[in-house]
């Protein structure tokens, strides 16, 4: 396993021959509250991972024992002028869109508090694995703002408009069991096993065609919200990017030869 640091608060670890990348939030003194510097580091790490053809899956984790991420750094913002907040906005937005727009499958491993922007980072992933200590929510209206990392758009796509409205308007925190019941998280695992289970899931995903994974994610994401006819056109365009690829040829050959595929990734 290799490690690379982005600023003081983001650590990237490579697993499984580099095919699984772990993006670890590592600002323990602030329970991973997203400061300007941390947001910039998340964005930079995502840009590097997205451009790496060897990366097949990204797992978003936390090094803090009691929190995934508690959201925006309100202590930092307490000193901001309006001009400071305007200048910060593109930086923080870049962190959330960086995760959301990663071209490979993404898995969030959540334990403890995942609130506000912390939960939005998890919502930006394709799958959320949470342990039984997880507490999630979008409490922004309780401090005079609204979710600004994609929460008002991503949450309804998970749980429906009415449920999302109730959660955003009440600003309430949701504990792990209810979060799983409502679909706020996808898998609920024993305490302390969120990272292990998320990495195991990522390993299973990474065994598949890298060309196929990127195309499947593109079809899933771009097809959301479209009518069926338009969605099928998105799927067809994605299918054409893999149908004549080296991965498709290798997959067919490996199936007929009863062996594991050796993906060329092109």
């Amino acid at each position: 396993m290799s490690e690379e640091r982005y600023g003081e608060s983001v650590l990237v670890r490579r697993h499984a021959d580099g095919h699984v990348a772990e993006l670890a939030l590592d600002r323990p003194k602030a329970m991973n509250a997203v400061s300007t510097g941390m947001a910039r580091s998340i964005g930079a790490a995502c840009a590097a991972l997205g451009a790496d053809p060897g990366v097949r899956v990204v797992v978003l984790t936390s090094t803090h024992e009691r929190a995934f991420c508690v959201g925006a750094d309100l202590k930092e913002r307490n000193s901001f002028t309006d001009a400071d907040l305007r200048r910060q906005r593109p930086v923080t937005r870049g962190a959330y869109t960086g995760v959301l727009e990663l071209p490979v499958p993404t898995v969030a491993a959540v334990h403890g508090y995942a609130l506000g922007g912390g939960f939005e980072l998890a919502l930006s992933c394709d799958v959320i694995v949470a342990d039984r200590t997880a507490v999630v929510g979008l409490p922004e209206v309780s401090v005079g703002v609204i979710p600004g990392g994609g929460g008002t758009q991503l949450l309804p796509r998970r749980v429906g408009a009415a449920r999302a409205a109730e959660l955003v308007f009440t600003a309430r925190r949701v504990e792990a069991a209810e979060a799983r019941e409502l679909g706020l998280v996808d898998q609920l695992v024993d305490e302390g096993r969120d990272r292990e289970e998320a990495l195991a899931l990522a390993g299973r995903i990474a065994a598949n065609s890298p060309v196929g994974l990127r195309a499947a994610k593109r079809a899933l994401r771009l097809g959301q919200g479209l009518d069926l006819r338009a969605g099928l056109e998105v799927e067809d365009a994605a299918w054409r990017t893999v149908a004549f690829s080296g991965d498709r040829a290798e997959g067919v050959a490996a199936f007929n030869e009863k062996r594991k595929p050796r993906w060329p990734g092109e």
Side-chain angles (χ1 to χ4, degrees), residues 49 71 115 122 133 146 151 169 182 209 227 242:
L49 292 171
L115 300 173
T133 69
I146 70 167
F169 295 161
L182 296 179
S209 158
D227 62 46
V242 298

Side-chain angles (χ1 to χ4, degrees), residues 60-77:
L60 185 61
T61 67
S62 163
T63 63
H64 196 282
E65 292 182 355
R66 295 189 294 112
F68 176 73
C69 172
V70 294
D73 187 341
L74 297 185
K75 290 183 179 180
E76 178 188 57
R77 287 192 181 180

Side-chain angles (χ1 to χ4, degrees), residues 28 78 81 85 110 123 147 184 195 204 221-222 226 232 248 263:
N78 192 46
T81 64
L85 188 58
V110 174
L123 288 172
L184 299 175
R195 177 176 178 267
R204 295 193 294 274
R221 284 292 176 92
L222 294 180
L226 300 178
L232 291 173
R248 194 276 309 169
W263 304 116

Side-chain angles (χ1 to χ4, degrees), residues 158-209:
R158 272 189 163 265
V159 300
R163 179 67 70 190
E166 182 262 323
L167 293 167
V168 171
F169 295 161
T170 62
R172 73 182 179 93
R173 300 180 179 189
V174 182
E175 295 188 359
E178 184 184 4
R180 176 65 184 90
E181 181 181 345
L182 296 179
L184 299 175
V185 304
D186 302 302
Q187 294 184 22
L188 187 59
V189 300
D190 290 339
E191 180 176 343
R193 291 184 58 85
D194 54 293
R195 177 176 178 267
E196 180 182 350
E197 294 292 344
L199 287 170
L201 173 60
R204 295 193 294 274
I205 294 170
N208 296 309
S209 158

